[in-house]
Amino acid sequence: METRELGKTGERVPIVGMGTWAIGNSSGDQRREEIKALQRGIELGMKFIDTAEIYGHGRSESLVGDAIREYRGEVFLATKVAPENFAYDDVIRSCETSIQRLGVKFVDLYQLHWPNPRIPIQETMRAMEQLVATGKTRYVGVSNFSVEQTMQAQESLPRSEIVSNQVRYSITSRSIETDLIPFCNKERITVIAYSPLDTGNIPISRIPKEMLTKYEMTPAQLMLNWVTFQEPIITIPKAGRLSHVEENARSVDTRISQSDYNALSKKFS
Ligand code: NAP
């Protein structure tokens, strides 16, 4: 699996990781499948797992915890604090609760899930710095932040760097191309593209068949290959089904050419 540097950390992460929204709400066979899917993904190199305290009210984190028990040393673990918990004490408590649910000693990346204009970003970031200082998280990230909000967040974080911004991006959802991607590229902030498969609405009929044949890719693989083409971007397709995880893990084995990338970008613009 190809890797990229996370922010300016010197640490490398896989360009295709695993998302876990809507995972962990089930029991029995489905729960076993979701655990197996995540474990298989780790074995195939998708060692970046994204979750959040609000996913299934903690059930996604608990399931991830069960899945990674034997793999903790190999996995880069990212979770998120919900905007209603952005007051100082709440951030600290949320992170500690997530750590407990995940069954780990620390998380690798702690992200602010959405901006919350009702709580001063300085207060939230003071808590994030405290979490870094106490070893509860290694890195700080944001999610769904505009360029301006990312800059404000960075200014409120004097002792650490914002290493990532997790935002929606796919071949059919391109609004971040005008300003956020160039900004993150320049500042060396990793863009974590969420919903890269358009939440499952894969535009199969619009994807050129000759390109799928040329690269021996499925439509989903081509979408993931496209979305991770540019330097600052990694992605986290949902990873709850074994067959999809295996398919997605192979999506960047070969790279599409620059001219095919350009042609696809134009077709969907
Ligand atoms: P997504 O990954 O674009 O799409 C998920 C859908 O695609 C599911 O229905 C899944 O089906 C299907 N799928 C997965 N692999 C496939 C394949 N190879 N072929 C065909 N279908 C495939 O959407 P998402 O779950 O919204 O986004 C991914 C992750 O991003 C989330 O899990 C979450 O971690 C994160 N996220 C973050 C935010 C945020 O605000 N920060 C918001 C949304 C999502 P199966 O379930 O059957 O595999």
Side-chain angles (χ1 to χ4, degrees), residues 93-260:
R93 197 175 313 116
S94 280
C95 186
E96 286 169 352
T97 307
S98 290
I99 283 172
Q100 252 175 29
R101 277 194 292 251
L102 288 159
V104 295
K105 295 199 175 77
F106 58 88
V107 294
D108 296 291
L109 176 63
Y110 203 45
Q111 305 158 99
L112 306 187
H113 205 147
W114 289 86
N116 181 353
R118 290 183 310 281
I119 297 175
I121 187 72
Q122 293 80 358
E123 174 176 343
T124 308
M125 285 313 194
R126 251 190 331 107
M128 295 299 259
E129 291 215 312
Q130 178 65 10
L131 291 172
V132 173
T134 52
K136 302 266 164 64
T137 184
R138 296 172 61 217
Y139 303 118
V140 175
V142 293
S143 176
N144 300 300
F145 273 45
S146 66
V147 168
E148 207 188 341
Q149 288 163 335
T150 309
M151 285 164 68
Q152 270 173 5
Q154 182 58 67
E155 279 161 22
S156 313
L157 197 65
R159 289 195 296 277
S160 307
E161 303 251 10
I162 304 253
V163 301
S164 58
N165 191 355
Q166 186 178 134
V167 282
R168 184 163 187 157
Y169 188 52
S170 74
I171 199 160
T172 53
S173 253
R174 310 269 291 275
S175 61
I176 64 166
E177 285 180 352
T178 43
D179 59 354
L180 195 72
I181 292 180
F183 169 77
C184 288
N185 208 2
K186 183 164 146 279
E187 297 296 323
R188 290 176 58 204
I189 293 172
T190 298
V191 172
I192 304 175
Y194 74 69
S195 306
L197 300 171
D198 236 345
T199 68
N201 299 313
I202 297 174
I204 295 176
S205 60
R206 293 178 64 201
I207 297 180
K209 287 207 176 40
E210 61 280 9
M211 244 186 244
L212 299 175
T213 311
K214 177 175 172 185
Y215 293 108
E216 297 182 347
M217 285 182 192
T218 63
Q221 287 174 328
L222 194 64
M223 283 180 88
L224 296 176
N225 204 294
W226 181 91
V227 88
T228 53
F229 196 86
Q230 293 191 65
E231 181 51 44
I233 304 173
I234 67 169
T235 194
I236 45 166
K238 183 186 171 204
R241 187 183 299 275
L242 191 58
S243 60
H244 283 161
V245 165
E246 290 182 336
E247 183 179 331
N248 298 344
R250 291 192 304 270
S251 62
V252 289
D253 284 358
T254 357
R255 273 284 167 210
I256 57 172
S257 67
Q258 181 74 54
S259 59
D260 284 336

